[in-house]
Amino acid sequence: MTEVKATNVYWHDGEVSREDRNKLLKQKGATLWFTGLSGSGKSTVAVALEKALMEKGHLCYRLDGDNIRLGINKNLGFSAEDRTENIRRIGEISKLFVDTGVIVLSSFVSPYRADRDLVRELHDEGGMDFIEVHVDVPLSVAEERDPKGLYKKARAGEIKNFTGIDDPYEAPLKPEIVLNSHEQSLEEEVEILLNSLAERGII
C-alpha cells in the first residue's frame, strides 16, 4: 500500500526553515504518540494535555483515532494491512504538523510495534522529536471501563479483530513515557507530560 506510484515528482524546498517556524511559535514541534488498549485513557489524557498546553500559550493539535477514521482514513478497516496503512498515514500527517512547529498529540491504539517503529523512523529521518507514550493499564481495567461498549461486543463475537480480545496488542519495549491511568490522576499524568516536554526543550 505504500508503493510510490507517481513519477517525475521531486521535493521542492522553500525558503522558510523548521527552525524559523519554531522561533515564530516560541516552541519546538514534536509528536507525542499515545498508544495503549482501547479504554486505557489515551484520548482522555491527550484532551487534557491539549488544553493545558493551549493555556500556557503553546500551539498543539490532537489527532484522535476515531476522528481520523471518520475522515482521511475512512476507507480503511481493521485488518492488519489496514491498521498498518492507518498508522503510516498518521505518521506522515504528524510529520507535517511537526515541520510547522506544532506539538502533535497522536492518540491511537496502534497495536503493532513495527507500525509504531516505522512512525518513529519517519520522524528520526526528518530530525524530528517522537515521544512514545504508553498509556498502560491491565486488560481487565480497560474492559471494565469499556466506554464505547466495544469489549462487550467483541466478547459477543459482534466485532472481529478487536485488540486485546482476538487481535494482539504489542506493548512498547522502550517508550519515553509510561502512564498508568488506573493508578495516577489525570492531573498527575498531565504534569508528567508537561515536565517531560520542558526537559526536552519543546516548551
Side-chain angles (χ1 to χ4, degrees):
M1 238 184 222
T2 59
E3 177 188 354
V4 178
K5 295 184 178 180
T7 58
N8 299 310
V9 291
Y10 306 92
W11 184 266
H12 189 171
D13 283 318
E15 295 186 7
V16 178
S17 70
R18 186 184 312 149
E19 289 70 25
D20 292 331
R21 291 185 284 267
N22 288 343
K23 189 178 296 184
L24 176 69
L25 294 174
K26 298 180 174 62
Q27 65 183 41
K28 186 179 179 185
T31 292
L32 278 79
W33 191 276
F34 296 87
T35 178
L37 294 168
S38 176
S40 63
K42 301 181 301 299
S43 295
T44 299
V45 70
V47 166
L49 179 60
E50 181 182 37
K51 183 177 180 182
L53 285 168
M54 290 295 287
E55 288 175 347
K56 290 178 177 292
H58 295 291
L59 183 60
C60 55
Y61 194 80
R62 184 173 49 85
L63 299 173
D64 186 79
D66 282 1
N67 294 359
I68 293 296
R69 282 185 175 276
L70 289 170
I72 194 170
N73 286 350
K74 65 183 179 181
N75 65 323
L76 298 177
F78 291 92
S79 67
E81 182 182 34
D82 279 3
R83 286 180 188 268
T84 293
E85 176 61 10
N86 181 55
I87 297 307
R88 186 196 69 80
R89 290 183 192 178
I90 300 310
E92 294 287 0
I93 293 170
S94 297
K95 270 184 59 182
L96 290 174
F97 274 107
V98 172
D99 195 42
T100 67
V102 174
I103 299 167
V104 189
L105 313 178
S106 294
S107 179
F108 298 87
V109 173
S110 46
Y112 305 134
R113 197 173 294 128
D115 294 345
R116 298 191 304 269
D117 288 346
L118 174 61
V119 177
R120 182 186 292 278
E121 288 172 15
L122 288 173
H123 283 69
D124 287 346
E125 289 169 3
M128 301 175 179
D129 285 287
F130 178 85
I131 303 166
E132 191 173 36
V133 183
H134 184 198
V135 185
D136 185 17
V137 301
L139 174 61
S140 59
V141 171
E143 192 165 359
E144 183 178 343
R145 291 174 177 172
D146 204 9
K148 302 173 187 175
L150 300 178
Y151 285 100
K152 184 177 180 180
K153 290 181 179 179
R155 290 291 187 189
E158 297 173 24
I159 299 178
K160 302 297 182 184
N161 307 120
F162 190 75
T163 301
I165 303 301
D166 58 351
D167 215 51
Y169 176 76
E170 299 171 358
L173 297 177
K174 295 180 179 179
E176 280 73 16
I177 301 172
V178 177
L179 300 177
N180 303 108
S181 64
H182 60 302
E183 297 175 343
Q184 298 164 322
S185 69
L186 185 57
E187 293 74 18
E188 288 172 333
E189 291 179 292
V190 169
E191 190 66 22
I192 289 169
L193 294 166
L194 289 174
N195 287 340
S196 180
L197 290 174
E199 290 168 1
R200 295 170 187 274
I202 293 166
I203 60 174

